[in-house]
């Protein structure tokens, strides 16, 4: 078979929710036209020895535009995303101005149209993300926003959160929560525990996250609202989510690569590269997050890609902003650290997040007739992380110099190769 303008991804092992099989994939006019053995087309992308999966979908990208373009732009973040195997990212709303109105959402989506991955906007729950007054969620939902969050901060006021949930259920959208109780976190810069005590750095207790997880599960029960917990970091948070899901509540959760890889002991260097919210926790918490990913309690791996310029990230620990790069390392960290079957890893990075933001029609599948949003992964190749070599405008990776296994060879967005042999095409 050979059709004009067609592309074949040849010689790989196709993995998606339907299973695994050795097959070539033909792409025509932005769609998957055939999946099977012995196919050919006008152009060929070599996938020998590789996994051919659906493009990855990130539920948690800080793209910094508008407002902090010196740290990242939608274009630079999306280029990093494509290099990391992503064909879709959800932009977080803590921009300047915040994504709390139709105007800013429209601006982000408009700029995203020419980016090398699909850019979806989240909307803020409250005006200016300051936790006082509900944002005009309906006008943002009318533009296609499916997730609302004040990420960077949690909604502190119980009554306001209840109203937000009632409003969200009426609109059929999902609320995503950054779980941190400000009163308990106040002045803390790392996890409160053995290392914060030794280092003399004020800490944030695990309970600051857990109280908000507990409250939002209670409010989800009260209102029937769908709630998604962002970047879960403690063992008890994971356990509460496990129980909530078992009781039938519409609850989902994500974990970041840094929370399943690093502990608070990293902070002993006093290097703010390890400063992040929620903070790196204990080895027991890391084990619980991994167990949550293994048993599906945590359905999603999300990056919390949070670029910061060297000028800010090199300030002393207590003055530096929290956050770490993630888009170009997430897949390799998952493959290197989790020891899970490839299908489960791809589920957590692709089709499960696609379902949560309602883009399962265009992302998360390698089936005939679906949009050709694909990533081709060499699962065996090893490489060394280098922040300076990343597409991001920032370089704040806590994994600098670490050897990882698994790398994206090609990424295809709506039928167009945007990464070929590890090189961004635009
Ligand atoms: O470490 C973090 N950085 N956590 C957040 O929630 C926000 C993010 C950022 O925007 O830099």
């Amino acid at each position: 078979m050979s059709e004009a303008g067609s592309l074949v991804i040849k010689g790989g092992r196709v993995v998606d929710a339907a299973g695994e099989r050795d097959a070539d994939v033909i792409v025509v006019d932005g769609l998957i036209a055939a999946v099977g053995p012995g196919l050919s087309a006008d152009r060929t992308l070599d996938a020998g020895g590789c996994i051919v999966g659906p493009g990855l979908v990130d539920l948690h990208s800080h793209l910094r535009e508008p407002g902090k373009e010196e740290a990242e732009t939608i274009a630079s973040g999306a280029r990093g995303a494509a290099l990391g195997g992503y064909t879709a990212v959800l932009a977080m709303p803590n921009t300047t101005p915040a994504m709390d109105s139709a105007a800013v959402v429209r601006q982000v989506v408009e700029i995203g149209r020419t980016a090398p991955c699909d850019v979806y906007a989240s909307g803020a729950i409250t005006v200016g993300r300051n936790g006082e007054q509900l944002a005009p969620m309906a006008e943002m939902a009318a533009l296609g926003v499916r997730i609302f969050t004040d990420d960077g901060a949690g909604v502190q006021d119980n009554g306001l959160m209840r109203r937000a949930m009632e409003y969200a259920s009426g609109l059929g959208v999902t609320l995503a929560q950054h779980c941190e109780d400000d009163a308990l976190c106040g002045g803390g810069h790392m996890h409160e525990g053995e290392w914060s005590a030794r280092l003399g750095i004020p800490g944030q207790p695990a309970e600051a996250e857990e109280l908000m997880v507990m409250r939002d599960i209670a409010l989800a029960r009260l209102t029937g609202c769908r709630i998604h917990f962002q970047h879960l970091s403690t063992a008890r948070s994971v356990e509460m989510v496990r129980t909530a899901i078992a009781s039938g509540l519409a609850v989902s959760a994500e974990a970041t690569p840094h929370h399943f890889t690093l502990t608070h002991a990293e902070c002993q260097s006093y290097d703010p590269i390890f400063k992040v919210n929620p903070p790196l926790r204990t080895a027991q918490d890391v084990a619980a997050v991994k167990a949550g990913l293994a048993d599906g309690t945590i359905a999603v791996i999300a990056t919390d890609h949070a670029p910061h310029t060297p000028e800010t990230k090199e300030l002393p620990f207590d003055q530096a902003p929290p956050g770490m790069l993630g888009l170009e390392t997430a897949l390799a960290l998952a493959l290197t650290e989790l020891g899970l079957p490839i299908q489960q890893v791809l589920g957590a990075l692709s089709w499960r997040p696609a379902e949560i933001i309602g883009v399962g029609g265009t992302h998360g599948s390698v089936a005939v007739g679906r949009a050709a949003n694909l990533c081709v992964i060499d699962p065996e190749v090893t490489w060394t992380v280098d922040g300076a070599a990343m597409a991001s405008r920032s370089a704040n990776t806590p994994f600098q110099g670490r050897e990882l296994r698994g790398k994206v060879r090609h990424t295809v967005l709506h039928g167009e190769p945007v990464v070929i042999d590890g090189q961004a095409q635009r």
Side-chain angles (χ1 to χ4, degrees):
M1 164 177 176
S2 178
E3 295 190 39
S6 60
L7 170 75
V8 63
I9 300 167
K10 199 155 182 64
R13 185 160 180 79
V14 171
V15 178
D16 70 1
E20 297 188 24
R21 61 273 185 209
D22 291 329
D24 303 329
V25 178
I26 298 266
V27 174
V28 181
D29 289 338
L31 301 178
I32 297 170
V35 180
L39 303 176
S40 56
D42 299 339
R43 293 176 68 192
T44 302
L45 284 180
D46 173 33
C50 288
I51 302 295
V52 180
L56 312 185
V57 177
D58 188 33
L59 292 192
H60 204 133
S61 288
H62 295 277
L63 299 180
R64 303 298 189 223
E65 187 175 359
K68 282 230 172 67
E69 289 83 354
E70 68 278 16
E72 196 76 289
T73 61
I74 291 171
S76 66
R79 192 171 307 121
L83 286 164
Y86 290 89
T87 52
V89 298
L90 181 70
M92 288 294 105
N94 60 339
T95 46
T96 312
M99 291 155 61
D100 64 356
S101 67
V104 185
V105 164
R106 206 177 281 121
Q107 180 187 356
V108 167
V109 170
E110 201 51 49
I111 298 170
R113 279 194 214 290
T114 54
C117 77
D118 282 352
V119 176
Y120 297 97
S122 62
I125 297 173
T126 68
V127 174
R129 300 174 42 258
N130 57 23
E132 286 166 10
Q133 189 190 338
L134 288 185
M137 288 161 58
E139 67 175 44
M140 292 186 269
L143 292 176
V145 174
R146 286 290 162 269
I147 295 262
F148 290 85
T149 173
D150 273 1
D151 184 62
V155 176
Q156 304 296 309
D157 183 302
N158 302 339
L160 189 64
M161 189 61 194
R162 174 190 179 167
R163 282 221 310 287
M165 283 190 168
E166 287 168 345
Y167 200 33
S169 341
L171 291 170
V173 297
T174 299
L175 295 189
Q177 189 74 283
H178 168 122
C179 289
E180 274 188 338
D181 181 284
D182 287 349
L184 284 176
C185 282
H189 301 289
M190 64 177 290
H191 173 67
E192 181 179 313
E194 178 199 345
W195 279 106
S196 63
R198 280 209 230 175
L199 300 172
I201 297 175
Q204 313 173 2
E207 285 75 5
E209 173 175 308
E210 292 156 2
L211 271 178
M212 199 170 279
V213 172
M214 189 189 297
R215 178 201 70 179
D216 284 354
I217 290 171
L219 291 178
R221 189 177 298 113
L222 179 65
T223 62
C225 179
R226 279 201 307 274
I227 179 97
H228 175 74
F229 291 111
Q230 298 175 299
H231 43 48
L232 279 194
S233 70
T234 90
R236 284 183 297 263
S237 294
V238 177
E239 189 48 38
M240 285 189 280
V241 168
R242 185 175 285 120
T243 309
I245 292 172
S247 76
L249 293 174
V251 167
S252 60
E254 67 186 37
T256 70
H258 47 272
H259 287 118
F260 65 64
T261 308
L262 305 172
T263 73
H264 58 160
E266 303 286 354
C267 299
Q268 64 188 287
S269 61
Y270 285 100
D271 187 342
I273 204 84
F274 297 109
K275 181 172 176 180
V276 66
N277 276 343
L280 302 176
R281 305 278 188 191
T282 68
Q284 290 80 0
D285 292 314
V286 169
V289 168
K290 281 183 164 177
L293 284 163
D295 74 8
T297 298
I298 301 172
V300 171
I301 297 168
T303 65
D304 199 358
H305 178 80
H308 291 286
T309 60
E311 296 75 53
T312 58
K313 215 43 190 169
E314 284 164 10
L315 290 167
F317 203 95
D318 60 341
Q319 291 165 39
M324 304 171 161
L325 298 186
L327 284 166
E328 294 180 60
T329 48
L331 171 69
L333 284 161
L335 293 172
T336 307
E337 298 287 331
L338 293 176
L340 296 174
I342 184 72
Q343 197 193 24
Q344 201 174 345
V345 170
L346 290 180
L349 284 162
S350 178
W351 52 90
R352 297 221 173 76
E355 280 159 22
I356 289 171
I357 51 168
V359 300
T362 45
H363 293 272
S365 168
V366 192
V368 172
R370 302 289 292 271
N373 290 316
L374 303 164
C375 78
V376 179
I377 303 157
D378 184 337
E380 297 306 332
V381 73
T382 56
W383 59 287
T384 305
V385 177
D386 180 11
M390 289 180 179
S392 175
R393 285 200 171 178
S394 298
N396 54 307
T397 172
F399 300 105
Q400 180 70 23
R402 190 182 275 237
E403 188 164 286
L404 300 178
R405 185 172 44 76
K407 200 160 189 0
V408 170
R409 188 183 286 182
H410 317 298
T411 306
V412 175
L413 178 70
H414 295 288
E416 186 201 343
V418 287
V419 174
I420 300 178
D421 289 327
Q423 302 300 315
Q425 302 298 298
R426 57 179 164 105

